[in-house]
């Protein structure tokens, strides 16, 4: 039961009707008659809590947005020692200054409990808000009452109940105005200024569309700044709520702005100039003078828009320079990158750098780590390394310094390489260099090989842009629709090598008559809408194959096929597609009945018993019904990884590192694979619509198969 006293009772009469366990004391401070035992110990303020928070008072008092529960640890005369448990009641008292200055109090006494249990009181919901509430507690037993927790060395606990929501804040930005204009912004951080409309705002909760909710602390004047890095173009909305000392959040302010594509590079050289040129034309920036060791008209990486590159011979004359800085302030955010193909990977080789007196502000290139080459980006005295440069292999490398975070990152072929590192930039007001780096004794670490499409940015190059810069379009090597097979040869759509049907392999069409009681008729559902023919394999010797390899399995490739199993319970493994050598398959996709899974198997060498990398995807056998599954193998040699897709998707286990690729010599096989005993694992089922590509198809393109890709491939 709660007791309330004070002049303000008339105004707050409803507050006294509070449910409580215990009896009303005759008056505050009354001590029960002694019974010969000892009274309880005085409660310690360090063991009191207001709504789960420590007991404090004065300027440290908390502001709460809900009426709190008060909690105390009380002790009998034994002080809670083992074997000295006592029965107690807790007497709580809360007070505040009411209207007109009169003090008002409420009290509550708990039921009798063991002093090993916590004692608590849920304050009445009618306590006033915007008012300092003080409270204290004491322990009571039959011998008397302890001193109040606030007496002696103690102090009252205090809090302020605040249920008033702050007003919506004001948001403004000079970088991204809310005025229906499009601002070039991908990769360019902007600042949003937030102003409070209340005097007790301590923080702001905010979020951008598609981003996680975040908070930012308010300055003493109630204002705050929110920084944002746009990663894509489009209409964006910032939503902000003011948060007060009690944690109350007010209505949202929505600030809408429009983000355009990121600003163009501050400098760019395609390096596709005519043979014999002595300078490289600049798409943006200043033309770069070429040393005598530079030869234009060198090959370009396939699958890119580049038509030619520049070859540097690694000598003292193998360089290009505009003779001026490109990164005007190396203490600010910048990024540099380009396509490169090393002719040598020994030692330290520089692709791009900028002079800083007799040193360099940054370098992008390759270096040696533990005796092996790695791509490298250094800023000041810090370096990030990663990726595996290979002689004669193209790679897109980009180094980036983010002044906001103070870190440098390295990207190789569109993916982050190594770990980002904290750096301290140095001033670099000297000339930008292609193919060499400044040292105390002059230029050094010269590049030998090809360089193309050099770019420098004064902003962040976001992940999607890095990926686009590094993308090499896959080139289709073969498409077999398996609609016809004149003379036992299923033609390739572009006139390439046909698939020769072996014994036990035959084509069937959906409109061909067949016995409806034949379980292998299988004409109730087309495998794929890519023509109306399918290849049926009887599981004993049936297969189809090209005479020569279709894909170079030592490089990047993509192979895809639609397959359906005839059996409900296959008795042995069955291979859908493979390509290999004399003893092993460089890759094969097979169904494993023991685990009921489609497996991608990559042998590490063309040798009996060679180690294998296996990726699995659990699937039930088809039982000659439904559309089957499209299985796709992707080997990306640039990052030394393999990917296994089933029906255009791959799960967490659908990718693996793979650095053991080898060049197969055998033809592309449908329906069989290499085993320890020679050809085996014959497929009992049907296959359709086979594709083979040089290069790694993107995930988006894989999902489109068998439909024509955007560029008609």
């Amino acid at each position: 039961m709660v007791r309330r006293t004070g002049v303000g009772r008339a105004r707050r009469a409803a507050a006294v009707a509070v449910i409580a366990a215990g009896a009303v004391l005759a008056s505050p401070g009354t001590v029960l008659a002694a019974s010969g035992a000892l009274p309880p110990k005085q409660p310690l303020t360090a063991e009191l809590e207001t709504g789960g928070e420590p007991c404090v008072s004065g300027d440290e008092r908390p502001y709460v947005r809900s009426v709190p529960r008060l909690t105390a640890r009380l002790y009998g005369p034994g002080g809670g020692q083992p074997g000295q448990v006592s029965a107690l009641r807790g007497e709580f008292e809360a007070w505040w200054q009411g209207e007109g200055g009169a003090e008002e109090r409420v009290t509550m006494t708990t039921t009798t409990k063991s002093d090993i249990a916590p004692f608590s009181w849920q304050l009445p919901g009618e306590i006033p808000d915007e008012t300092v509430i003080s409270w204290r507690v004491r322990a009571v037993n039959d011998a008397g009452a302890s001193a109040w927790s606030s007496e002696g060395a103690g102090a009252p606990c205090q809090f302020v109940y605040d249920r008033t929501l702050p007003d919506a804040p004001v948001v403004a930005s000079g970088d991204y105005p809310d005025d229906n204009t499009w601002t070039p912004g991908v990769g360019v951080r902007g600042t949003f200024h937030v102003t409070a409309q209340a005097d007790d705002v301590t923080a702001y909760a905010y979020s951008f569309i598609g981003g996680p909710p975040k908070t930012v602390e308010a300055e003493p004047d109630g204002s705050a700044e929110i920084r944002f890095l746009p990663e894509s173009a489009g209409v964006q909305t910032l939503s902000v709520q003011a948060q007060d000392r009690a944690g109350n959040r007010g209505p949202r302010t929505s600030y809408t702005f429009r983000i355009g594509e990121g600003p163009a590079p501050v400098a760019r050289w395609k390096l596709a100039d005519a043979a014999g040129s002595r300078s490289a034309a600049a798409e943006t920036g200043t033309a770069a003078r070429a040393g005598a060791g530079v030869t234009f008209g060198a090959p370009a990486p396939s699958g890119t828009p580049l038509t030619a590159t520049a070859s540097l011979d690694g000598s003292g004359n193998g360089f290009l320079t505009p003779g001026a800085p490109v990164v005007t302030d190396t203490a600010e955010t910048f990024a540099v990158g380009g396509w490169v193909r090393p002719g040598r990977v020994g030692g330290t080789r520089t692709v791009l750098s900028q002079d800083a007196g007799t040193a360099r502000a940054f370098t992008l290139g390759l270096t040696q780590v533990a005796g092996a080459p790695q791509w490298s980006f250094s800023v000041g005295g810090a370096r990030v390394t990663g990726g595996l440069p290979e002689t004669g292999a193209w790679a897109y490398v980009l180094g980036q310094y983010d002044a906001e975070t103070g870190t440098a990152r390295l990207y190789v072929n569109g993916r982050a390489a190594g770990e980002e590192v904290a750096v301290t930039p140095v001033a670099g007001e000297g000339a930008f260099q292609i193919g060499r780096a400044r040292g105390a004794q002059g230029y050094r670490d010269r590049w030998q090989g090809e360089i193309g499409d050099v770019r420098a940015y004064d902003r962040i190059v976001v992940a999607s842009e890095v990926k686009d810069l590094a993308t090499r379009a896959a080139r289709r090597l073969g498409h077999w629709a398996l609609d016809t097979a004149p003379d036992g040869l299923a033609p390739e759509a572009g006139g390439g090598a046909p698939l020769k049907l072996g014994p036990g392999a035959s084509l069937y069409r959906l409109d061909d008559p067949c016995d409806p009681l034949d379980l292998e008729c299988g004409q109730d559902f087309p495998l794929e809408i890519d023509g109306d023919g399918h290849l049926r394999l009887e599981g004993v010797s049936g297969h189809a194959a090209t005479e020569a390899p279709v894909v170079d399995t030592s490089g990047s490739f993509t192979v895809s096929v639609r397959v359906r199993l005839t059996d409900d319970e296959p008795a042995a493994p069955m291979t859908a597609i493979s390509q290999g050598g004399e003893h092993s398959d460089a890759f094969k996709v097979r169904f494993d009945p023991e685990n009921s899974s489609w497996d991608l198997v990559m042998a590490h060498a063309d040798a009996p018993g060679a180690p294998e990398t296996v990726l699995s995807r659990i699937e039930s056998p088809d039982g000659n019904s439904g559309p089957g599954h499209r299985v796709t193998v992707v080997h990306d040699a640039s990052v030394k990884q393999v990917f296994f897709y089933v029906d255009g998707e791959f799960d967490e286990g659908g990718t693996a590192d793979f650095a053991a690729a080898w060049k197969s010599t055998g033809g592309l096989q449908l329906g069989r694979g290499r085993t320890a005993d020679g050809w085996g694992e014959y497929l009992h089922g049907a296959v359709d619509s086979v594709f083979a590509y040089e290069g790694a198809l993107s995930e988006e393109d894989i999902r489109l198969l068998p439909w024509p890709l955007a560029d008609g491939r």
Side-chain angles (χ1 to χ4, degrees):
M1 181 175 180
V2 174
R3 177 172 179 175
R4 181 173 192 150
T5 63
V7 177
R9 283 179 296 183
R11 184 177 66 86
R12 303 184 186 274
V16 301
V18 178
I19 299 174
V24 178
L25 299 182
S27 62
T30 300
V31 178
L32 299 181
S35 61
L38 297 174
K41 301 290 186 180
Q42 179 184 10
L44 302 176
T45 55
E47 296 184 319
L48 309 182
E49 292 183 349
T50 303
E53 297 297 325
C55 168
V56 292
S57 60
D59 293 339
E60 299 299 319
R61 70 176 72 96
Y63 284 71
V64 299
R65 59 181 175 176
S66 59
V67 178
R69 175 178 290 275
L70 312 181
T71 306
R73 184 75 168 88
L74 304 181
Y75 299 97
Q81 297 298 315
Q84 300 189 39
V85 176
S86 301
L88 301 174
R89 297 183 299 279
E91 181 185 343
F92 289 86
E93 184 175 64
W95 66 95
W96 61 87
Q97 190 174 42
E99 292 183 1
E103 183 182 88
E104 299 190 27
R105 289 178 180 261
V106 287
T107 63
M108 190 277 293
T109 301
T110 70
T111 56
T112 300
K113 297 192 293 183
S114 167
D115 65 355
I116 63 173
F119 291 76
S120 64
W121 178 27
Q122 175 61 56
L123 283 169
E126 294 80 0
I127 65 170
D129 61 353
E130 304 297 339
T131 301
V132 176
I133 309 293
S134 301
W135 69 275
R136 61 182 183 175
V137 65
R138 66 179 179 180
V140 180
N141 65 8
D142 291 342
S146 71
W148 287 103
S149 59
S150 59
E151 294 178 341
C157 305
Q158 293 183 328
F159 67 91
V160 177
Y161 171 39
D162 182 359
R163 60 183 178 183
T164 303
L165 303 183
D167 293 333
V170 174
V171 180
S173 175
D175 298 322
Y176 294 104
D178 183 3
D179 60 1
N180 294 322
T181 60
W182 290 86
T183 304
V186 172
V188 180
R189 282 191 176 88
T191 300
F192 298 83
H193 302 278
V194 186
T195 306
Q197 299 300 293
D199 59 7
D200 63 344
V201 171
T202 59
Y204 295 94
Y206 70 93
S207 64
F208 293 89
I209 293 177
K214 297 182 179 181
T215 59
V216 59
E217 291 186 4
E219 297 295 331
D221 63 358
S223 67
E225 289 187 350
I226 296 172
R227 297 278 283 165
F228 178 61
L229 176 67
E231 296 195 8
S232 61
V235 178
Q236 178 60 266
T237 298
L238 167 62
S239 177
V240 187
Q241 291 175 281
Q243 179 174 305
D244 65 16
R245 292 169 293 188
N248 294 306
R249 292 181 179 178
R252 298 178 185 272
T253 293
S254 294
Y255 183 93
T256 300
F257 54 102
R258 288 160 171 76
I259 306 165
E261 297 294 337
V266 294
R268 180 186 180 190
W269 300 271
K270 287 186 176 180
L271 302 182
D273 303 85
S277 297
R278 295 277 39 96
S279 67
E283 296 289 309
T284 55
T286 305
R289 176 174 61 90
V294 176
T295 302
F296 291 104
S302 62
T304 70
L306 296 180
T307 58
T309 61
S311 179
L312 283 64
D313 65 4
S315 71
N317 293 316
F319 69 91
L320 299 100
T321 179
V326 166
V327 180
T328 56
D329 188 348
T330 52
E332 296 297 325
T333 296
F334 70 89
V336 292
W339 281 102
V340 294
R341 182 168 68 170
R344 293 182 61 188
V345 295
T348 299
R349 307 281 171 179
T350 300
V351 178
L352 306 172
S353 70
Q354 186 160 303
D355 297 348
T358 58
R360 55 267 190 190
F362 62 84
T363 58
L364 175 68
L366 64 83
T367 191
Q368 306 301 306
V369 178
Q374 289 193 9
W375 295 109
S376 168
F377 178 55
S378 64
V379 178
R383 182 187 302 271
V384 54
T385 59
L388 301 173
E390 292 186 13
T391 301
W394 284 104
Y396 188 86
V397 292
L398 182 140
Q400 185 159 264
Y401 169 65
D402 186 345
E404 183 102 346
T405 62
T407 57
R409 299 205 69 168
L410 171 67
Y411 295 88
V412 178
N413 293 318
R415 301 170 185 264
E419 301 291 335
E420 70 176 353
V421 298
V423 302
T424 301
V426 298
E429 299 178 353
F432 185 76
Q433 305 291 335
I434 301 174
R436 65 183 184 178
R438 182 75 175 176
Q441 304 302 318
Y443 289 103
R444 51 182 289 185
D445 303 338
R446 301 176 188 277
W447 181 260
Q448 183 175 339
E450 285 70 50
I451 302 178
D453 198 16
V454 170
R455 306 184 188 210
Y457 296 84
D458 61 354
R459 62 175 177 88
I460 291 293
V461 182
V462 300
S464 61
E465 293 178 309
V466 177
K467 181 180 178 182
D468 289 343
L469 288 169
T471 295
R472 299 178 66 180
R475 181 172 66 91
R476 195 175 78 186
L477 301 174
H479 171 211
W480 297 267
L482 300 175
D483 290 335
T484 61
D487 300 322
L489 299 175
E492 194 278 318
L499 283 163
K500 182 178 181 179
L501 274 59
S506 61
L507 294 186
Y508 71 93
R509 304 170 70 88
L510 293 182
D511 55 0
D512 288 343
C514 70
D515 183 355
L517 298 180
D518 181 358
L519 296 179
E520 295 192 12
C521 180
Q523 297 182 33
D524 60 324
F525 206 103
L527 288 185
E528 198 132 65
I529 306 175
D530 178 27
D532 54 5
H534 307 320
L535 175 64
R536 178 184 290 130
L537 303 170
E538 37 71 288
V540 178
S541 62
H543 71 280
T546 61
E547 289 190 2
V550 173
V551 296
D552 179 358
T553 53
S554 66
S556 296
F557 69 86
T558 303
V559 173
S560 183
V561 63
R562 172 73 63 172
V563 57
R564 181 174 68 193
L565 302 180
T566 297
D567 303 317
D568 287 319
E569 297 181 2
M574 295 184 290
T575 293
I577 190 168
S578 67
Q579 184 175 302
E582 183 179 356
H583 303 286
S584 301
D585 289 316
F587 76 87
K588 67 179 171 184
V589 178
R590 71 181 177 198
F591 186 81
D592 178 6
E594 182 176 351
N595 298 307
S596 190
S597 65
W598 280 107
D599 296 346
L600 167 61
V601 182
M602 307 285 293
H604 292 207
D606 186 13
E612 297 176 336
T613 292
V614 181
L615 299 174
S616 298
R617 177 75 170 269
I618 302 300
E619 295 288 349
S620 298
D622 302 306
N624 205 43
S625 64
H629 299 284
R630 174 159 288 282
V631 293
T632 304
V633 179
V634 177
H635 175 236
D636 190 341
S638 67
V639 293
K640 292 181 169 51
Q641 288 183 309
V642 290
F643 304 86
F644 184 37
Y645 295 81
V646 177
D647 296 327
E649 305 289 342
F650 76 96
D651 57 19
E652 185 176 343
T655 182
D657 294 333
F658 188 71
W662 50 278
K663 191 179 183 71
S664 59
T665 57
L668 184 69
Q669 307 286 329
L670 298 183
R672 68 179 183 178
R674 287 287 186 184
T675 70
D677 300 321
W679 291 115
E681 297 181 349
Y682 286 94
L683 181 79
H684 188 203
V687 296
D688 193 17
S689 188
V690 182
F691 291 89
Y693 290 86
E694 176 189 42
L697 274 187
S698 69
E699 193 168 336
E700 293 76 15
D701 283 344
I702 289 171
R703 290 197 184 102
L704 287 175
L705 291 174
W707 305 108
L709 304 182
D711 58 2
R713 290 177 283 123

